[in-house]
Amino acid sequence: MKIVVCIKQVPATNEAKIDPETKRIIREGLNSILNPFDTYAIEEGVRIREKFGGEVIAISMGPEKAIEVLREALSLGVDKAILLSDKEFAGSDTWATSYALAKAIEKIGDVDLVICGKQAIDGDTAQVGPGIAAHLGWVQATYVMKVEDIQDGSIKVRRMREDGYDICEMNFPAVITVLKDINTPRIPSLKRRLAARQAQIPVWKPADIGADTDKIGLDGSPTRVVKTAPPPAKKNVAKRIEGTPKECAEALVRELRMRSII
Amino acid sequence: MLHHIKNKVYHIEILPPKQDSQKLEADLELFAQKYNRVMESGYCACITDNAMGHLSFQGTEMIEELGLEVRPEQVMIHLNTFHTLEDLHNILDTCKSKGIKYLLVVSGDGSERLPKLQPSDVGAEGKVESVTSVELLKYIESKYPGTFTMGVAFNPYEPPEHEFEKLKRKLDAGASFIITQPIIEKNKIVDELLEKYPDIPVIVEAWMSRKLHLLSEAVGYEIPENTQYDPIETLKSIHKLYPQCGVYLALLGFKTQYHLIKDIWV
Amino acid sequence: MILTSVTDRSKYSNVWVVAEFLSDKIQPVTYELVGAARKLADKRSSKVWVVAMGSGISQQVGSLFAYGADKVIVVDDSRLSGFIDELEADVLARLIGKYNPEIVLYAATARGRALAPRVAVITNCGLTADCTGLDIDPENGDLLQTRPAFGGNIMATIRSSNHRPQMATVRPRVMRALEPDPDRTGEVIHETVEMSDMLKIKRIIDVFHSDETTVNLGDAEIIISGGRGMKGPEGFELLRKFAAKVGGAVGASRAAVDAGWIPYSHQVGQTGQTVQTKVYIACGISGQIQHLVGMQSCDFIIAIDKNPDTPMMQLADIAIVGDVFEIIPEIMNELSKM
Ligand SMILES: Cc1cc2nc3c(=O)[nH]c(=O)nc-3n(C[C@H](O)[C@H](O)[C@H](O)COP(=O)(O)OP(=O)(O)OC[C@H]3O[C@@H](n4cnc5c(N)ncnc54)[C@H](O)[C@@H]3O)c2cc1C
Ligand SMILES: Cc1cc2nc3c(=O)[nH]c(=O)nc-3n(C[C@H](O)[C@H](O)[C@H](O)COP(=O)(O)OP(=O)(O)OC[C@H]3O[C@@H](n4cnc5c(N)ncnc54)[C@H](O)[C@@H]3O)c2cc1C
């Protein structure tokens, strides 16, 4: 089995600010972390390898600093890590991001399974995983809460639905995106951490993966963020309810109904 | 533990480096220096377990990786309920093989990233919904009978009836000494504790940082702000107020304070 | 498609909604999307089309006209029962190529969020996720899509000026359905599935339905949270019933978790989960800062406590003074009357 895990570096707090001029995230002063959902993707990849053999490769597209999350992935047990980094990639939306990642996966070659997190906590779109599958023309399963089985070139997964879940079986090569329910990620040991700090991580540019520069970066992105603003302020209408339990309950339910909460 | 108190052995907290440290090698070096200094002074090094839910390395792997010397009377490992069963056994097995005997068993601080022991892991399914220090104590005693001397935490800032009730369960589960949350003056609840359990060694925690607001954050309840807070003077007064108790030093400054504590406990 | 000239733009018209089906039943979010599409279409003097894909669904599409649709494309095929992403994406991409809509809206559900990005890549279109606001530039037909990002901490407005159609997903209960007009009618078009060999490489083996309340606090819209004031595991039993009644999840303070009354996975706060639900009901939780940091950005906070002066009661939008064991059963009574 050859598995690729896609991971993203994201700002640590969800209080990130946007530059009013460039409309870009002001990354200075923010700690960067591995997208929390991607920890589960890494763990699942490593578990599959532990059970079925093969290798797990982590890839990330981002600034040079994103090498940190690849080191994290190495300390969590992946075998290899590759960074896609170049100014041509900057400003990619989900279409362009998934295109670049798909090109890198093609370049790696002979990949059976791609695992993504459910979504990134900054962009919050959950679009990159299915986007990669579409660019590659592979099958996909999103919101995977359990890998049930892997056998003779196929994978059986449990997918979340709004009203429960289904069991879906598909042939390799395939892309899955995983929920937090899927596993409990391990904590890296000191030994692995120290080794990951020394690892050599190759950096690939658009030319290395044969990416068409019209399809990456800001210019290759069909969507454009044209404005950002703080969310509408919450108005505080503090209200105290006192009385008999019945009166309190009636008053509350009335309030909830007035606000169409129930 | 009683002899620690009789022999005036300070318990000195040391935090292992965080998992996301940018300068890990330097942090490891510093940890080793602090640890060795505590050993040389004859004090007891207390190594925390993911304090405040921050992902950090384990005391046991630090000792192994850095090849630190273990003097059984001088090392205490904190152990909380945020582990996989496999990791828990790794830690306990290492403690056993290294001759570490003192454990401070706590429920501990979690985080989204930390795994949590499940009732079924420790044979408590159907008895509790969530594994606390009580279940962990029982489990360790059942799997490693007689191997460890286990202590528990006591928080004098929580509602006392709950805290005393919980303490009783912890003692029934096998705990044999108590470490309190930091106190900075005479404390009614600690007095009550000493009265209730005159025969159990109690170690009070002294707050060695000047920043009292951090203390409020660490115990969960607001502590009146006192701008004049002087940790060394407070430590002296704690010795006077509680001569029958041992003392645990939190956030001790190794550069600025360590040399000052030498002759305080008389 | 990428637009190369201004005249390209005029080839595209009408607002499409991809109907949301679950177990071949049409879902209310579809009507909400039709309501939103109607407003956009009216501004451009264009039409609202709905694409309905499923198995045995033809009888259900009539209601779509009542809610504002002008035309419905029905793709009724037994292979579309259950969700095969690739099959639906293939059908949609083909229909989009055939009819050239200006805008396509999807539900931001598990299905819609898997389907839409696939179609967007195949058709070379931009896609904006989880829009909370949709408007249109009447001049050039650009869709102005507003969405939260960074966990709701900013609102971004997104355009996709050089590509058509423009695609967006919208979460359930964000838009409003119009009052249905039973006299409205429209045209039905039938289309077919063409991809034939798909099921050889992907199959749905089984579907399980569960009514269990979501344990996952992150996905809930309402959280009923309990603290030390709930007194024991039985108190949390009461909260579970309450939560089941309003379709919410159960949360807890650390005091309750540390007492062993409820699993840690339910803990809210600094050393537990951070939640941002529409409604948070705190029952017997005093509201120490370590708890508040995990829930203070919820939209609407209700506190029940016998002590009127706790930090939680100060923070709450509605503070009810009294005993949880008397008040909660009464609230459930009231809710049953609805
Ligand atoms: C405020 C704001 C709003 C935005 N809205 C949109 C929008 O509506 N539509 C749109 O097309 N773009 C949008 N973008 C751009 C989008 O954030 C970027 O394209 C981003 O690189 C990928 O999208 P995401 O963060 O939503 O990731 P998601 O699609 O949520 O990520 C899912 C998974 O894909 C993988 N993945 C994602 N990014 C990478 C990466 N760089 N390297 C490796 N793996 C990765 C990870 O496994 C991750 O868990 C927006 C950006 C901002 C700042
Ligand atoms: C490092 C650290 C991290 C922490 N992280 C968290 C965290 O992530 N989450 C968290 O919650 N806490 C956390 N805490 C603990 C926090 O400080 C408080 O101890 C805890 O939140 C208190 O829980 P509580 O409100 O349920 O209990 P209490 O403070 O005891 O409040 C109980 C409330 O119930 C009311 N009450 C009692 N009986 C009734 C009744 N019959 N009817 C109505 N009301 C009643 C009382 O008036 C009181 O207001 C943390 C603490 C520390 C030190």
Side-chain angles (χ1 to χ4, degrees), chain A residues 199-228:
Chain A
Q200 291 295 320
I201 296 176
V203 180
W204 286 357
K205 312 252 163 226
D208 296 320
I209 54 175
D212 180 345
T213 46
D214 289 343
K215 292 184 175 170
I216 55 171
L218 208 52
D219 291 342
S221 296
T223 65
R224 188 105 354 143
V225 177
V226 290
K227 195 179 103 188
T228 55

Side-chain angles (χ1 to χ4, degrees), chain C residues 3-235:
Chain C
L3 300 178
T4 45
S5 69
V6 190
T7 49
D8 267 5
R9 211 169 253 147
S10 57
K11 278 203 299 223
Y12 297 86
S13 62
N14 301 322
V15 184
W16 281 23
V17 168
V18 178
E20 175 75 9
F21 286 90
L22 209 50
S23 301
D24 297 316
K25 293 266 167 348
I26 202 159
Q27 298 299 301
V29 63
T30 310
Y31 304 129
E32 296 160 17
L33 292 178
V34 170
R38 186 73 262 162
K39 284 189 194 135
L40 297 171
D42 288 347
K43 282 195 185 160
R44 290 281 284 167
S45 315
S46 64
K47 304 275 187 225
V48 174
W49 292 32
V50 178
V51 182
M53 294 179 283
S55 169
I57 53 159
S58 302
Q59 300 311 310
Q60 292 175 54
V61 303
S63 61
L64 291 165
F65 299 117
Y67 281 97
D70 300 304
K71 230 179 235 193
V72 178
I73 303 180
V74 176
V75 190
D76 195 336
D77 189 307
S78 62
R79 285 170 292 177
L80 294 172
S81 173
F83 175 49
I84 304 277
D85 322 42
E86 298 74 17
L87 210 53
E88 294 194 13
D90 182 71
V91 171
L92 265 178
R94 198 161 32 79
L95 297 180
I96 287 168
K98 182 168 171 186
Y99 295 106
N100 296 321
E102 187 171 35
I103 292 167
V104 183
L105 305 180
Y106 305 77
T109 54
R111 172 178 170 269
R113 288 177 123 209
L115 176 62
R118 202 159 173 113
V119 178
V121 164
I122 299 172
T123 56
N124 196 357
C125 292
L127 173 64
T128 305
D130 295 343
C131 296
T132 52
L134 290 172
D135 203 350
I136 206 157
D137 187 330
E139 296 275 301
N140 51 22
D142 272 9
L143 190 60
L144 304 172
Q145 309 161 101
T146 306
R147 64 170 301 239
F150 288 90
N153 287 290
I154 61 158
M155 300 301 285
T157 304
I158 291 169
R159 270 186 204 245
S160 187
S161 306
N162 301 323
H163 293 255
R164 289 291 181 275
Q166 311 164 84
M167 300 193 184
T169 67
V170 180
R171 288 192 180 213
R173 287 180 295 280
V174 166
M175 300 293 168
R176 279 207 181 177
L178 304 173
E179 271 307 309
D181 172 359
D183 298 331
R184 258 186 119 261
T185 54
E187 182 190 345
V188 175
I189 309 173
H190 288 273
E191 292 278 356
T192 55
V193 175
E194 283 182 5
M195 209 185 213
S196 56
D197 50 357
M198 190 60 223
L199 301 188
K200 278 198 219 121
I201 58 168
K202 188 171 181 183
R203 301 154 290 278
I204 290 168
I205 314 260
D206 222 334
V207 178
F208 296 87
H209 302 275
S210 71
D211 315 318
E212 230 174 79
T213 44
T214 28
V215 174
N216 194 334
L217 295 176
D219 291 337
E221 296 215 329
I222 297 187
I223 291 176
I224 316 279
S225 208
R228 185 141 39 203
M230 295 315 295
K231 302 276 194 285
E234 306 76 29

Side-chain angles (χ1 to χ4, degrees), chain B residues 92 101 103 105 133-150 171-176:
Chain B
L92 290 170
K101 67 173 184 179
L103 299 180
V105 178
S133 53
V134 175
E135 290 72 42
L136 185 53
L137 282 159
K138 283 188 193 153
Y139 181 73
I140 297 174
E141 198 44 51
S142 75
K143 294 288 170 185
Y144 300 81
T147 311
F148 301 111
T149 304
M150 296 183 285
L171 294 171
D172 290 347
S176 61

